[in-house]
Amino acid sequence: MDLLLLETISIILITAVAILLIFNKLKLPSMIGLFLTGIILGQFITSTDIITEIAELGVIFLLFIIGLEFSIEKFSAIKKYAVLGGILQVLITTLLVCILTLFISIPLNEAIFLGFLVCFSSTAIVMKLIQKQNLTHSTQGRVTLGILIFQDIAVILVLLLTPILSGKNLDVTTLPLTVMKLVVLSVIITAGAFWIVPKALHEAARTKNRDLYMLLVLFICLGTTYSTSSLGISPELGAFIAGLIISHTDYSHQTLGYIQPFQDVFMSIFLISIGLMINVEYFIANILWIILLAIVVLLVKFIATFVTGRILKLPVSTIVAISILLSQIGEFSFVLAGEGIKNGLLSNELFTMFLAVSIITMSSTPFLQKMTPKILNLFKKIPRYQVDEELTNIQQEEHYEDELEDHVVIIGFGVNGKNIARACYRYNIPYIVVDMNPLIVEKEKSYGIPIIYGNAANESVQKELKVTSAKCMVVATNTFESTYKTVDTARRLNPDIHIIVRTRFVRNVEELYELGADEVIPEEFETSIEMFSRVMDYYNKDVDEILDTIDTLRSDHYNTFRCVSPEEITAKLSERLTNLNVGSLNVNRKKPLNEYNFSKYDLTVTSIIRNNKTLVGFSPNFPLEIDDLILFTGDPEDINCFIQEQYNS
């Protein structure tokens, strides 16, 4: 093992942790902290090759995830913004940059390439800001998402165009072989997308072996990336294709949940690696030029997006908000810049300047976004623009057709899940189901049940279940660990959702309540109630009396049983069948049950008779009424001592 590599990575990680802790305290964006980590460590780390290679994995995983999340249905819902808005924004930005750079005698091909570098925005930064402020379903969120989707696709096309911009001629002699390779690759990808990958993922999911599933997904991602790279196509495109292949299967959401942690870690390293490449001496020496160029880039992108919004006939307030969100240079521009250096379209000095400008534009976005109201006030002073007071919401008809709201999320499709789904269907309550058994998912989906495959403990799976807009969640999984994580994630994503949980044991009830569950139904307790009712029926007790007792047992969210063990519950329900002596006490004034010293004499209260009805399962501080009759069991001597004490008092 290379100890130098371990030392380097350890230093990077501990420095990043320390800086991010400080930034978190100051409530500053973590992305700036990662850049700063790289800039600081760049003064001490001489060899960054291995870090750069690791960082490239972050880009690959990011493209893979974009492919995973890409949906024809979602794209169709915002195609007006994605296609028209995306084309306009990219072309106008590129055109403005070309015009500015031609004034300083930069060749046309390099000017176009610089335009491409500037036109792309940061998907990572913008989407985090949109999700954090719950703007996903607003016009602002939809248009921004549409333009970002187009940009993500356009990056792939620009990567393919880069060698042509550099003036490289195509080798006609190798064209037939290249075409043949592309045809073979297309056939393999098509076969993989429709037959091989879905079948392989299905078989891996059936085993319920997480390691096997993870290794298969990584093979699909990296194997496709390697295949496209061997044909001279960028690895980024290969990763995007791999994501697309899986996105049309039933396992895309679960795959996203597994891959997301890898992507987050590698992307953090990628951002640190950008900081490592910054020449601090150059940055300080040219700080004024860098800041000036950053302002120019922000203005150019703001103007380009503003014009795009006006063409799309959006409200001015929405246009301004979108223009600010998309004003930075994106992470894919760094990948594109690397290709530009390889193809001679970008000099090392210009690349250094570009890095510095990019970091400033990316770092400024969160602050500029907070200034949106002030910028809107400036537009209000311009008579030509009529600025509406609030950001408008997207029109109802522009929502996804299958958008779920106020629905029930059912976790697990066993007996309980099926019964709840039937009830929801009968009363026209919208619902969606998730289950970890691929056979159940495949079977129920064929019956028209709205069900997906995945582990509900994963945040990506819950987002696909639209937990943020759900009204109720029913968790009916078999393992407490899965239930625990599911409740925790759901409560974090939607603080207002009503969560009903089934758990096996009474001992887990209190913990689930503390975690955020609204109602917890212990299977163990319900079994004991059923046994109790049958025992009472066997003793020919009145049906109404049995039902009243059961209602009492289930009242107050099982508060009685959140304080005792299963063994104590069983004892309470079976004591009336024992040969212990029974004592009784008439209540002559209102007071809580625990004010009587039953525990002092080792006595057990079995029931309370009120208005000719028998009550059981009460809490220690159960409020007693006048003329209640308390029945209790214990040793005859203890009973006599207790009764004597009551008479004396």
Side-chain angles (χ1 to χ4, degrees):
M1 187 72 181
D2 191 345
L3 293 179
L4 180 62
L5 173 62
L6 282 176
E7 180 186 3
T8 302
I9 292 177
S10 298
I11 292 172
I12 289 175
L13 292 177
I14 192 61
T15 306
V17 168
I19 291 176
L20 289 183
L21 280 173
I22 296 171
F23 270 58
N24 186 59
K25 291 285 185 182
L26 299 174
K27 296 185 178 179
L28 294 173
S30 58
M31 180 169 285
I32 304 176
L34 293 171
F35 285 141
L36 184 60
T37 301
I39 292 171
I40 293 172
L41 292 177
Q43 310 311 303
F44 307 101
I45 298 176
T46 54
S47 177
T48 60
D49 292 342
I50 187 66
I51 305 301
T52 304
E53 290 178 8
I54 294 174
E56 286 176 359
L57 282 175
V59 180
I60 288 174
F61 280 121
L62 181 60
L63 265 296
F64 179 63
I65 285 174
I66 288 172
L68 270 176
E69 293 181 321
F70 186 82
S71 164
I72 298 298
E73 293 78 14
K74 291 181 181 178
F75 187 80
S76 299
I78 53 175
K79 58 180 178 291
K80 174 185 175 183
Y81 305 133
V83 178
L84 181 57
I87 290 174
L88 287 171
Q89 193 271 344
V90 169
L91 289 181
I92 294 172
T93 305
T94 305
L95 180 62
L96 289 175
V97 173
C98 282
I99 293 171
L100 291 174
T101 51
L102 286 173
F103 277 117
I104 53 177
S105 302
I106 290 180
L108 181 60
N109 62 332
E110 293 181 18
I112 293 172
F113 184 75
L114 285 173
F116 285 147
L117 286 181
V118 173
C119 73
F120 297 116
S121 304
S122 173
T123 302
I125 294 176
V126 176
M127 289 310 297
K128 282 184 179 179
L129 288 173
I130 288 176
Q131 291 169 359
K132 186 178 180 180
Q133 300 188 21
N134 296 317
L135 297 173
T136 307
H137 298 311
S138 66
T139 306
Q140 176 186 350
R142 295 291 187 177
V143 177
T144 305
L145 177 62
I147 292 174
L148 287 172
I149 288 177
F150 180 85
Q151 288 184 1
D152 291 339
I153 298 172
V155 167
I156 306 300
L157 299 175
V158 173
L159 285 170
L160 295 174
L161 288 173
T162 301
I164 298 174
L165 279 175
S166 67
K168 290 184 179 179
N169 296 320
L170 294 174
D171 190 352
V172 181
T173 58
T174 61
L175 192 60
L177 180 61
T178 302
V179 171
M180 186 175 71
K181 287 182 178 179
L182 288 173
V183 170
V184 172
L185 181 62
S186 299
V187 171
I188 293 173
I189 289 173
T190 302
F194 290 98
W195 297 291
I196 300 173
V197 170
K199 182 67 176 175
L201 289 174
H202 178 76
E203 292 300 322
R206 282 185 62 184
T207 65
K208 296 185 179 180
N209 187 321
R210 187 177 184 274
D211 296 333
L212 173 62
Y213 190 93
M214 275 287 298
L215 290 172
L216 177 61
V217 169
L218 288 173
F219 169 74
I220 294 170
C221 174
L222 300 178
T224 307
T225 302
Y226 171 77
S227 300
T228 56
S229 300
S230 64
L231 294 176
I233 301 172
S234 70
E236 290 81 11
L237 178 59
F240 181 76
I241 291 172
L244 278 179
I245 290 173
I246 298 178
S247 70
H248 296 290
T249 69
D250 293 332
Y251 310 99
S252 58
H253 320 300
Q254 184 61 35
T255 301
L256 184 61
Y258 284 147
I259 292 294
Q260 195 85 48
F262 288 93
Q263 187 260 334
D264 292 340
V265 171
F266 286 124
M267 273 306 296
S268 295
I269 296 176
F270 174 73
L271 295 174
I272 292 171
S273 71
I274 300 300
L276 285 170
M277 290 186 283
I278 290 291
N279 187 323
V280 177
E281 293 179 0
Y282 178 89
F283 187 91
I284 295 172
N286 298 275
I287 185 66
L288 294 178
W289 279 109
I290 291 170
I291 293 174
L292 178 62
L293 285 174
I295 293 171
V296 170
V297 168
L298 291 170
L299 286 173
V300 166
K301 297 202 71 176
F302 183 92
I303 293 168
T305 309
F306 190 89
V307 172
T308 299
R310 296 296 285 177
I311 295 173
L312 292 174
K313 298 180 179 180
L314 296 171
V316 173
S317 60
T318 305
I319 297 173
V320 171
I322 295 168
S323 301
I324 291 171
L325 278 174
L326 297 176
S327 60
Q328 78 290 128
I329 293 174
E331 55 273 349
F332 286 133
S333 295
F334 299 134
V335 180
L336 191 58
E339 292 297 313
I341 292 176
K342 292 178 185 176
N343 289 278
L345 291 169
L346 206 63
S347 65
N348 288 328
E349 184 177 354
L350 195 56
F351 176 70
T352 304
M353 176 67 78
F354 169 75
L355 283 179
V357 171
S358 300
I359 287 177
I360 290 179
T361 62
M362 294 172 82
S363 302
S364 64
T365 302
F367 302 105
L368 290 173
Q369 208 255 350
K370 291 180 180 179
M371 294 174 60
T372 300
K374 294 181 179 180
I375 297 172
L376 279 174
N377 288 332
L378 295 176
F379 275 86
K380 288 179 183 178
K381 296 177 181 179
I382 304 174
R384 181 179 175 182
Y385 297 115
Q386 294 182 350
V387 181
D388 47 330
E389 293 297 326
E390 296 181 2
L391 296 179
T392 58
N393 287 330
I394 198 163
Q395 296 297 316
Q396 187 66 32
E397 61 268 16
E398 291 179 321
H399 276 274
Y400 300 150
E401 291 181 6
D402 61 345
E403 194 71 54
L404 282 170
E405 288 183 349
D406 294 335
H407 57 290
V408 177
V409 177
I410 303 172
I411 313 297
F413 210 56
V415 174
N416 293 315
K418 287 180 180 178
N419 287 335
I420 294 165
R422 289 192 191 103
C424 290
Y425 178 79
R426 179 176 179 180
Y427 292 104
N428 296 317
I429 299 173
Y431 70 95
I432 187 169
V433 185
V434 62
D435 197 275
M436 276 290 289
N437 190 325
L439 297 177
I440 290 177
V441 173
E442 185 178 20
K443 177 183 175 182
E444 300 300 333
K445 189 171 279 191
S446 66
Y447 295 151
I449 301 294
I451 185 171
I452 67 170
Y453 171 83
N455 184 349
N458 285 332
E459 186 173 318
S460 58
V461 174
Q462 290 207 17
K463 286 180 178 178
E464 184 62 25
L465 294 167
K466 306 293 187 295
V467 167
T468 52
S469 59
K471 195 169 187 177
C472 181
M473 171 183 281
V474 178
V475 184
T477 53
N478 292 323
T479 63
F480 178 71
E481 182 183 1
S482 176
T483 300
Y484 185 94
K485 292 179 180 178
T486 300
V487 173
D488 181 52
T489 304
R491 183 57 71 207
R492 180 162 41 83
L493 292 176
N494 185 353
D496 300 322
I497 192 171
H498 189 81
I499 303 176
I500 303 172
V501 182
R502 182 207 73 184
T503 184
R504 293 186 64 187
F505 303 111
V506 175
R507 64 173 176 265
N508 299 138
V509 171
E510 185 67 29
E511 190 172 0
L512 289 168
Y513 273 119
E514 290 176 354
L515 193 64
D518 295 289
E519 298 183 52
V520 182
I521 301 171
E523 196 175 80
E524 181 180 47
F525 174 47
E526 289 300 320
T527 302
S528 68
I529 283 184
E530 180 65 22
M531 293 172 67
F532 161 74
S533 64
R534 297 195 182 198
V535 169
M536 293 302 101
D537 182 60
Y538 182 74
Y539 275 76
N540 296 318
K541 292 291 185 180
D542 182 67
V543 174
D544 291 335
E545 186 178 342
I546 294 173
L547 292 176
D548 286 343
T549 303
I550 289 174
D551 289 339
T552 303
L553 286 170
R554 287 177 172 152
S555 66
D556 198 24
H557 296 288
Y558 298 88
N559 279 339
T560 302
F561 297 98
R562 288 163 67 180
C563 305
V564 297
S565 68
E567 292 75 16
E568 290 175 305
I569 294 171
T570 305
K572 286 184 179 182
L573 293 175
S574 61
E575 274 169 354
R576 62 182 65 209
L577 304 177
T578 69
N579 293 320
L580 286 172
N581 280 18
V582 178
S584 64
L585 179 68
N586 280 304
V587 177
N588 52 25
R589 64 185 179 90
K590 292 184 178 181
K591 63 178 179 179
L593 179 62
N594 55 11
E595 287 193 13
Y596 291 99
N597 294 324
F598 290 106
S599 58
K600 177 181 176 182
Y601 296 94
D602 199 24
L603 303 177
T604 302
V605 178
T606 57
S607 59
I608 298 171
I609 299 176
R610 176 180 294 173
N611 298 326
N612 295 321
K613 291 183 179 179
T614 303
L615 308 179
V616 296
F618 24 76
S619 62
N621 59 350
F622 180 79
L624 296 168
E625 300 288 340
I626 296 174
D627 293 329
D628 281 353
L629 180 66
I630 307 173
L631 300 180
F632 51 91
T633 60
D635 184 86
E637 193 172 324
D638 291 332
I639 292 176
N640 291 331
C641 292
F642 171 80
I643 293 176
Q644 187 64 39
E645 180 183 282
Q646 298 305 315
Y647 282 140
N648 293 335
S649 62

